[in-house]
Amino acid sequence: RNSKKESDLNLAQARVRDLDAQLNAKEADLATALNENRTLENELRELRDQVLSLNLSLEDTKKHLHSEMLRRVDLENHMKTLQEEMTFQKRLHEDELKETKRVHESRIAEVESGRQREFESKLSDALQGLRKQHEEQIQGYKEEMERTFSAKVENAQLTAARNSEFANAAREELLETQKRVDTLISQVNQYQSQNVALESRIKELQNLLDYDRDLHRRRMAEKEEEMAQAQKQAQAQLEEYEHLLDVKLALDLEINAYRKMLEGEEQRLKLSPSPPSHSTATQAASQGRRYLHGKKRKIKETKKREHSAALKTIQHVSATGNISIEEIDADGKFVRLKNHSDEDQSLHGWVLRRRIGSVADVNYKFPSRFTLQAGQEVTIWGAGAGVSPGPSDLVWRSQKSWGTGDNIGVTLITDDGEELAERKIMLVPREEESEQDDDYEEITGSEADFASQTKRRRKKKCCLVS
C-alpha cells in the first residue's frame, strides 16, 4: 500500500508539473494578450488623435468656405452697386444735357430777334461743341465704366470659379474625411469588441487558473492526508509486527525450554529420541540465505553491466550576453534558450549553428520579427520530435532532429556575426567502479534476526539505487 501511495504521489507530482506547464503556457498567453491589448490601445489613441486633427482641418475648411462665400456675396453686391451707379450717372448726364438745351433755348428766345441770326451760328457751334464734349465725356465715362465693370466682373467670375473649386475640393475632402472617420470608428468599435473579448478570455483563463490551483491544492492536501494515514498505518503495522516478533521469541524460548525438559525426561526414562524440531527453522534459514545470496549475486552482475556500459556527460557552457543556451537534448529533440535580462530581445537575423563531430555545420535562422520576452524561454524543436509545441515555441521544419553524437555543439550567433553564447555536450566512458564484497552477509539464527537482516539489506539497496 505504501508503494501504491508513492505511485499515486508520483502521479500527483506529474500532474502538478503538467499544471505548472499549463500555468506557464497560460501566463505566456496572458502576456501576449496584454501586449496585443497595449498595441490596440496605442493604435486607438493614434486613431483618436487623427480623428481630432481631421475634425480640426474640417472646421478650418468649413470656415474658409464660409469666408469665400461671404466674399462672393460681397463682390456680387459691389457689382450691383457699380451697375446702379453707372445707370445713375447716365441719367444724370442726360438730365444735365436736357437742362443745358433748355437754358440755351430760353436764352435764344430771350435774345432779340436781331441778334438771333448773329448768334445762331455761334449757338449752333457752341451747341455742337457742347454736344460733342458731352458725348465724348459720356462715351469716356461709358467706356471707363464698361472697362471697370468688365474687369470687376471677370475678377468676380475668377474669384467665384476659384471659390467653387475650393468648395468642391473641400467638399470632396470632407466626404473622404467623413468616410475615413466612419472607417476608423468601425475599426475602433471592432478593436473595442476584440479588447472586450480578450478581457473576457483573460478573466476566464484567470478563473480557470484559480480553479486549477484550488483543485491542485485540495488534491495535494488530500494526498498528504492519505500519505500521513498510510504512514500511520505502516507504523501501526510495524509496531504490531514487532509485538508479534516479541511474542514469537517468547514462545520460541518457552518451546525450547519445554523441548529440553522433554529430552531430559526421555533420556532419564530411556525412551526413543524424537527428531529435532529446529531442523525446520534451520532449513528455512538456509533457504533465506540461498535466496539472499542469489539476489545479491544478481544485483552485483547488474551493477557490473551498468558500470561497464555507462557514459559520463561533460557540458561546456559560455555566454557573453543576456541570451544563453540553457539546454540541449541528448536525443536531439530540442534546444532551449533563455533571456536573463529585464528587456525584450529581438532575434531577427540571429542564427543557431550546430556542430556534430566531423559532420558539416547546419544553421537555424530565427524568423523575422521574433522577440524573446524578458525572463522567458524559447524551445526550438526538431520537425521529427513528435511533440506539439507550445505557443511560444519554434519548430525547425527543415531538420527532423538536432542530431546525436559523442560531441555536440550549438552556438548562438547575432546578425553581426558575433558568437554570443555556446554550449557543448561530450560523452566520455565512465570508469568502472570497484566492487566491494563485504556487502554480502550470511544470515543465521532465528526469524527475528532474518527479518532484521532483510531490513538492513533493503536499506543498503535503497542507498545504492539513490
Side-chain angles (χ1 to χ4, degrees):
R1 265 188 282 175
N2 191 8
S3 61
K4 182 179 179 181
K5 297 299 180 180
E6 287 179 354
S7 63
D8 293 338
L9 178 60
N10 293 327
L11 291 175
Q13 290 178 353
R15 176 63 179 169
V16 168
R17 288 193 292 272
D18 294 336
L19 290 175
D20 290 335
Q22 293 179 4
L23 176 60
N24 294 327
K26 298 298 182 182
E27 289 179 352
D29 293 338
L30 179 60
T32 306
L34 290 175
N35 291 327
E36 292 179 356
N37 190 11
R38 286 196 293 271
T39 306
L40 292 174
E41 287 179 354
N42 294 328
E43 292 180 357
L44 178 61
R45 196 177 298 110
E46 293 177 359
L47 291 174
R48 285 178 177 173
D49 295 336
Q50 291 180 3
V51 168
L52 290 175
S53 62
L54 290 174
N55 288 328
L56 293 175
S57 64
L58 179 61
E59 291 178 358
D60 294 336
T61 306
K62 286 182 178 179
K63 291 178 180 178
H64 184 67
L65 179 61
H66 185 66
S67 62
E68 292 295 333
M69 291 175 70
L70 292 176
R71 288 178 61 187
R72 181 180 177 181
V73 171
D74 292 337
L75 290 173
E76 289 178 353
N77 294 328
H78 187 60
M79 183 177 68
K80 290 180 180 178
T81 304
L82 291 175
Q83 288 177 355
E84 292 175 355
E85 185 178 357
M86 183 180 69
T87 306
F88 177 74
Q89 290 291 336
K90 187 176 180 180
R91 290 177 181 175
L92 182 62
H93 285 294
E94 289 177 354
D95 293 337
E96 287 180 357
L97 180 60
K98 289 179 181 180
E99 183 68 23
T100 304
K101 285 182 180 180
R102 188 180 61 77
V103 169
H104 282 288
E105 287 177 355
S106 62
R107 284 181 182 180
I108 290 171
E110 290 177 357
V111 175
E112 294 177 353
S113 59
R115 296 182 180 178
Q116 184 176 0
R117 295 177 181 175
E118 185 178 355
F119 289 105
E120 281 181 355
S121 60
K122 294 181 180 179
L123 183 59
S124 61
D125 294 335
L127 288 174
Q128 289 179 357
L130 289 172
R131 187 179 290 109
K132 289 181 180 179
Q133 185 178 1
H134 284 292
E135 288 178 356
E136 289 176 357
Q137 289 179 357
I138 290 170
Q139 188 67 26
Y141 287 147
K142 186 177 180 180
E143 291 177 355
E144 185 177 359
M145 290 297 293
E146 287 179 353
R147 286 196 299 271
T148 305
F149 177 73
S150 61
K152 290 184 178 181
V153 168
E154 289 178 358
N155 291 329
Q157 289 177 353
L158 293 175
T159 306
R162 270 198 310 273
N163 291 332
S164 63
E165 291 177 357
F166 288 156
N168 293 327
R171 192 177 295 107
E172 292 177 357
E173 186 176 358
L174 179 62
L175 292 175
E176 292 178 357
T177 305
Q178 188 67 32
K179 290 180 180 178
R180 190 174 179 185
V181 167
D182 294 336
T183 306
L184 293 175
I185 289 171
S186 64
Q187 290 180 359
V188 167
N189 294 327
Q190 184 179 2
Y191 290 151
Q192 287 178 353
S193 62
Q194 291 179 0
N195 190 10
V196 171
L198 290 173
E199 288 178 354
S200 64
R201 180 61 178 167
I202 289 169
K203 290 181 181 179
E204 290 177 0
L205 292 175
Q206 188 67 32
N207 294 328
L208 182 59
L209 182 61
D210 295 335
Y211 175 74
D212 290 337
R213 283 178 178 173
D214 295 336
L215 182 60
H216 172 64
R217 194 177 296 109
R218 289 196 299 270
R219 288 182 177 177
M220 287 298 294
E222 291 175 359
K223 294 296 181 182
E224 289 178 356
E225 290 178 358
E226 290 178 0
M227 287 180 61
Q229 291 178 0
Q231 289 178 357
K232 289 180 181 179
Q233 291 178 0
Q235 185 67 27
Q237 290 178 0
L238 183 60
E239 292 177 357
E240 185 179 358
Y241 179 68
E242 290 178 354
H243 178 67
L244 292 174
L245 283 179
D246 294 336
V247 172
K248 187 178 183 302
L249 286 176
L251 292 174
D252 287 339
L253 292 176
E254 291 181 0
I255 289 169
N256 288 328
Y258 284 120
R259 185 183 295 114
K260 288 180 181 180
M261 291 172 63
L262 289 173
E263 288 177 356
E265 289 293 327
E266 288 176 354
Q267 289 178 2
R268 187 176 63 82
L269 297 175
K270 295 180 180 180
L271 298 175
S272 59
S274 61
S277 61
H278 66 277
S279 60
T280 305
T282 306
Q283 185 178 0
S286 63
Q287 289 179 359
R289 284 198 300 272
R290 285 196 299 271
Y291 173 76
L292 290 178
H293 184 71
K295 189 174 180 181
K296 186 64 182 180
R297 184 165 58 249
K298 186 176 181 181
I299 291 172
K300 285 185 178 181
E301 291 175 357
T302 305
K303 284 175 61 180
K304 285 183 180 179
R305 287 197 298 270
E306 289 177 353
H307 286 307
S308 61
L311 295 175
K312 182 169 62 175
T313 303
I314 299 176
Q315 296 192 13
H316 174 72
V317 183
S318 63
T320 59
N322 297 325
I323 309 297
S324 66
I325 303 174
E326 288 295 310
E327 185 179 357
I328 300 175
D329 186 36
D331 297 331
K333 292 183 179 180
F334 64 88
V335 171
R336 185 173 290 116
L337 305 181
K338 184 175 182 181
N339 186 2
H340 296 278
S341 65
D342 297 331
E343 297 179 356
D344 298 344
Q345 177 64 51
S346 175
L347 302 184
H348 173 65
W350 290 31
V351 174
L352 278 175
R353 180 176 296 167
R354 185 206 68 185
R355 295 191 186 91
I356 301 177
S358 60
V359 182
D361 297 345
V362 180
N363 294 332
Y364 169 79
K365 188 174 181 180
F366 286 91
S368 60
R369 298 181 181 178
F370 178 77
T371 301
L372 183 55
Q373 303 294 329
Q376 299 295 324
E377 295 181 352
V378 61
T379 303
I380 302 97
W381 295 90
V387 297
S388 57
S392 60
D393 296 341
L394 301 174
V395 179
W396 194 0
R397 302 190 183 278
S398 61
Q399 293 289 333
K400 293 184 178 180
S401 172
W402 284 89
T404 58
D406 296 337
N407 190 353
I408 303 173
V410 177
T411 306
L412 179 62
I413 302 174
T414 63
D415 53 352
D416 298 329
E418 181 184 0
E419 295 185 358
L420 198 64
E422 186 179 14
R423 179 178 283 269
K424 294 180 180 179
I425 296 179
M426 293 178 289
L427 301 178
V428 297
R430 190 190 299 273
E431 296 180 357
E432 295 184 0
E433 298 177 0
S434 61
E435 297 288 335
Q436 295 181 359
D437 296 330
D438 56 354
D439 290 338
Y440 172 72
E441 294 179 3
E442 185 173 354
I443 301 175
T444 58
S446 63
E447 278 189 27
D449 296 332
F450 178 78
S452 61
Q453 293 292 338
T454 304
K455 290 168 69 177
R456 286 199 298 273
R457 292 291 296 168
R458 287 180 180 174
K459 288 182 180 180
K460 290 183 180 179
K461 183 179 179 183
C462 292
C463 293
L464 288 174
V465 171
S466 63

